[in-house]
Structures are given as C-alpha cells and as structure tokens.
Amino acid sequence: MSDQTIKLIAAGVLLLHGLGHGGALGALAWIQLSPGSNTGAWLAARSWLIPSLPGVTATTLASAFWVASLVGFVIAAMSFWGVIVPADVWRPLAVAAALVSATGIVLFFGTWPTFNTLAALGVNLAVLVAVLWLRWPSEAMLGR
C-alpha cells in the first residue's frame, strides 16, 4: 500500500470517528426532542459513576464530550491531511480527542449501543497506541 493511500485511510478514520460523535449528539437531541419514540438501542444520557446526575445535566455533559471529540478529531484529520496549518498539530489534537472521547464513553458506559461503544473505544485505543507508543506515522511518510 502506498504512503498516499495510508495517509488517506488514516485521515479518513480520524474524520469519520469525529463525525461519528455527531451521530451521538444527534441521538441525544432525538431522545430529548421525541421522548418515548423508538431510538433503537440509544438511551438517554446517564452516568453509572454519578447516577444521581439529573437527566438534563447528564445530557449537557455528554454533549460537551461529544462536541469536543467531534471538533478535535475533525481538525486533527484536516491537519493530518495538510488542509490546515500548522500540519503538526494533528498528533496532540488526535490524542486529546481520543482521551476526551474515551473518558466520555467510560462515564456514560451502557447508554449507547454496544457495537458503537466498542468501535469508538477501539478507534480511540488505536489512535493512542499509534501516536503515543508507535510514533506512527513517521514524518518521512508524511512527506514533511
């Protein structure tokens, strides 16, 4: 696989993961605007860690996590691809977004469908391992 293809896939994963947090925001809005409607496996925001948290507060807190993750991953993807400058901000942004996303998922674990939860945690873990531990991709691969 060429370096350009790998860059496209990596930027795509960062972008799609960020936009996926928009889906969680949409689910929260749907649940709030249409109480009692069929939402599949999506449930209203609630934290197992702070079960006494009022519903509106839980939704606001969860929304803050998803907005921060969405913005962080989308900007990281654009920086990775070189669309925005400086291009080297993608690493700290991707790490921060992955940590914010994982923290939000853990705080609200059990609220959203299992597949979505595990997939999001998997992408967050992959970002953290690739960037922090493997120091991937190299600057040479990025053409910098």
mmCIF file of all heavy atoms in Angstrom, residues 17-36:
data_model
loop_
_atom_site.group_PDB
_atom_site.id
_atom_site.type_symbol
_atom_site.label_atom_id
_atom_site.label_comp_id
_atom_site.label_asym_id
_atom_site.label_seq_id
_atom_site.Cartn_x
_atom_site.Cartn_y
_atom_site.Cartn_z
ATOM 1 N N HIS A 17 -14.412 9.136 12.568
ATOM 2 C CA HIS A 17 -14.594 8.973 14.009
ATOM 3 C C HIS A 17 -15.109 10.276 14.627
ATOM 4 O O HIS A 17 -16.002 10.260 15.471
ATOM 5 C CB HIS A 17 -13.286 8.528 14.662
ATOM 6 C CG HIS A 17 -13.424 8.138 16.093
ATOM 7 N ND1 HIS A 17 -14.396 7.276 16.543
ATOM 8 C CD2 HIS A 17 -12.709 8.484 17.188
ATOM 9 C CE1 HIS A 17 -14.276 7.116 17.850
ATOM 10 N NE2 HIS A 17 -13.257 7.853 18.268
ATOM 11 N N GLY A 18 -14.561 11.394 14.172
ATOM 12 C CA GLY A 18 -15.053 12.679 14.650
ATOM 13 C C GLY A 18 -16.513 12.887 14.293
ATOM 14 O O GLY A 18 -17.329 13.262 15.145
ATOM 15 N N LEU A 19 -16.874 12.616 13.056
ATOM 16 C CA LEU A 19 -18.255 12.795 12.624
ATOM 17 C C LEU A 19 -19.190 11.812 13.328
ATOM 18 O O LEU A 19 -20.367 12.127 13.543
ATOM 19 C CB LEU A 19 -18.357 12.644 11.104
ATOM 20 C CG LEU A 19 -17.627 13.721 10.296
ATOM 21 C CD1 LEU A 19 -17.715 13.418 8.808
ATOM 22 C CD2 LEU A 19 -18.161 15.102 10.609
ATOM 23 N N GLY A 20 -18.671 10.651 13.717
ATOM 24 C CA GLY A 20 -19.468 9.684 14.475
ATOM 25 C C GLY A 20 -19.938 10.255 15.802
ATOM 26 O O GLY A 20 -21.028 9.924 16.274
ATOM 27 N N HIS A 21 -19.135 11.118 16.380
ATOM 28 C CA HIS A 21 -19.563 11.778 17.617
ATOM 29 C C HIS A 21 -20.748 12.697 17.353
ATOM 30 O O HIS A 21 -21.574 12.943 18.230
ATOM 31 C CB HIS A 21 -18.396 12.535 18.254
ATOM 32 C CG HIS A 21 -17.378 11.621 18.849
ATOM 33 N ND1 HIS A 21 -16.378 11.053 18.102
ATOM 34 C CD2 HIS A 21 -17.226 11.141 20.102
ATOM 35 C CE1 HIS A 21 -15.641 10.281 18.877
ATOM 36 N NE2 HIS A 21 -16.142 10.313 20.100
ATOM 37 N N GLY A 22 -20.841 13.196 16.119
ATOM 38 C CA GLY A 22 -22.018 13.960 15.732
ATOM 39 C C GLY A 22 -23.266 13.091 15.740
ATOM 40 O O GLY A 22 -24.362 13.566 16.065
ATOM 41 N N GLY A 23 -23.096 11.812 15.406
ATOM 42 C CA GLY A 23 -24.224 10.884 15.486
ATOM 43 C C GLY A 23 -24.714 10.716 16.912
ATOM 44 O O GLY A 23 -25.924 10.639 17.164
ATOM 45 N N ALA A 24 -23.779 10.663 17.856
ATOM 46 C CA ALA A 24 -24.161 10.560 19.270
ATOM 47 C C ALA A 24 -24.892 11.829 19.709
ATOM 48 O O ALA A 24 -25.874 11.761 20.453
ATOM 49 C CB ALA A 24 -22.921 10.324 20.138
ATOM 50 N N LEU A 25 -24.438 12.987 19.228
ATOM 51 C CA LEU A 25 -25.139 14.246 19.525
ATOM 52 C C LEU A 25 -26.552 14.220 18.948
ATOM 53 O O LEU A 25 -27.510 14.651 19.598
ATOM 54 C CB LEU A 25 -24.377 15.434 18.940
ATOM 55 C CG LEU A 25 -23.148 15.889 19.696
ATOM 56 C CD1 LEU A 25 -22.329 16.847 18.843
ATOM 57 C CD2 LEU A 25 -23.541 16.527 21.004
ATOM 58 N N GLY A 26 -26.672 13.707 17.736
ATOM 59 C CA GLY A 26 -27.982 13.597 17.104
ATOM 60 C C GLY A 26 -28.910 12.687 17.897
ATOM 61 O O GLY A 26 -30.104 12.986 18.050
ATOM 62 N N ALA A 27 -28.360 11.589 18.395
ATOM 63 C CA ALA A 27 -29.176 10.668 19.196
ATOM 64 C C ALA A 27 -29.648 11.340 20.477
ATOM 65 O O ALA A 27 -30.809 11.191 20.871
ATOM 66 C CB ALA A 27 -28.372 9.405 19.513
ATOM 67 N N LEU A 28 -28.751 12.078 21.130
ATOM 68 C CA LEU A 28 -29.152 12.799 22.345
ATOM 69 C C LEU A 28 -30.260 13.810 22.052
ATOM 70 O O LEU A 28 -31.218 13.932 22.813
ATOM 71 C CB LEU A 28 -27.944 13.512 22.970
ATOM 72 C CG LEU A 28 -26.908 12.634 23.644
ATOM 73 C CD1 LEU A 28 -25.692 13.460 24.055
ATOM 74 C CD2 LEU A 28 -27.501 11.909 24.838
ATOM 75 N N ALA A 29 -30.126 14.521 20.937
ATOM 76 C CA ALA A 29 -31.154 15.503 20.562
ATOM 77 C C ALA A 29 -32.470 14.801 20.251
ATOM 78 O O ALA A 29 -33.540 15.257 20.675
ATOM 79 C CB ALA A 29 -30.686 16.320 19.360
ATOM 80 N N TRP A 30 -32.417 13.698 19.522
ATOM 81 C CA TRP A 30 -33.613 12.942 19.163
ATOM 82 C C TRP A 30 -34.344 12.470 20.419
ATOM 83 O O TRP A 30 -35.557 12.618 20.540
ATOM 84 C CB TRP A 30 -33.205 11.764 18.293
ATOM 85 C CG TRP A 30 -34.296 10.834 17.853
ATOM 86 C CD1 TRP A 30 -35.646 11.007 17.976
ATOM 87 C CD2 TRP A 30 -34.105 9.588 17.207
ATOM 88 N NE1 TRP A 30 -36.307 9.933 17.434
ATOM 89 C CE2 TRP A 30 -35.385 9.044 16.954
ATOM 90 C CE3 TRP A 30 -32.992 8.873 16.806
ATOM 91 C CZ2 TRP A 30 -35.562 7.820 16.339
ATOM 92 C CZ3 TRP A 30 -33.180 7.650 16.176
ATOM 93 C CH2 TRP A 30 -34.444 7.135 15.948
ATOM 94 N N ILE A 31 -33.599 11.926 21.353
ATOM 95 C CA ILE A 31 -34.189 11.422 22.594
ATOM 96 C C ILE A 31 -34.841 12.565 23.380
ATOM 97 O O ILE A 31 -35.931 12.413 23.929
ATOM 98 C CB ILE A 31 -33.123 10.690 23.443
ATOM 99 C CG1 ILE A 31 -32.729 9.382 22.748
ATOM 100 C CG2 ILE A 31 -33.601 10.447 24.861
ATOM 101 C CD1 ILE A 31 -31.455 8.744 23.280
ATOM 102 N N GLN A 32 -34.174 13.712 23.412
ATOM 103 C CA GLN A 32 -34.702 14.851 24.165
ATOM 104 C C GLN A 32 -35.927 15.466 23.481
ATOM 105 O O GLN A 32 -36.885 15.855 24.143
ATOM 106 C CB GLN A 32 -33.615 15.902 24.343
ATOM 107 C CG GLN A 32 -34.013 17.021 25.279
ATOM 108 C CD GLN A 32 -32.850 17.943 25.608
ATOM 109 O OE1 GLN A 32 -31.765 17.817 25.067
ATOM 110 N NE2 GLN A 32 -33.083 18.878 26.497
ATOM 111 N N LEU A 33 -35.902 15.531 22.150
ATOM 112 C CA LEU A 33 -36.992 16.172 21.418
ATOM 113 C C LEU A 33 -38.196 15.257 21.194
ATOM 114 O O LEU A 33 -39.305 15.745 20.976
ATOM 115 C CB LEU A 33 -36.480 16.700 20.071
ATOM 116 C CG LEU A 33 -35.452 17.820 20.159
ATOM 117 C CD1 LEU A 33 -34.892 18.137 18.779
ATOM 118 C CD2 LEU A 33 -36.062 19.058 20.809
ATOM 119 N N SER A 34 -37.957 13.941 21.222
ATOM 120 C CA SER A 34 -39.041 12.986 20.975
ATOM 121 C C SER A 34 -39.058 11.910 22.055
ATOM 122 O O SER A 34 -38.817 10.738 21.776
ATOM 123 C CB SER A 34 -38.858 12.331 19.608
ATOM 124 O OG SER A 34 -38.880 13.277 18.586
ATOM 125 N N PRO A 35 -39.326 12.290 23.290
ATOM 126 C CA PRO A 35 -39.321 11.292 24.362
ATOM 127 C C PRO A 35 -40.339 10.183 24.079
ATOM 128 O O PRO A 35 -41.426 10.437 23.587
ATOM 129 C CB PRO A 35 -39.703 12.077 25.616
ATOM 130 C CG PRO A 35 -40.016 13.449 25.194
ATOM 131 C CD PRO A 35 -39.737 13.593 23.739
ATOM 132 N N GLY A 36 -39.920 8.975 24.353
ATOM 133 C CA GLY A 36 -40.803 7.832 24.160
ATOM 134 C C GLY A 36 -40.779 7.251 22.758
ATOM 135 O O GLY A 36 -41.381 6.218 22.516
#
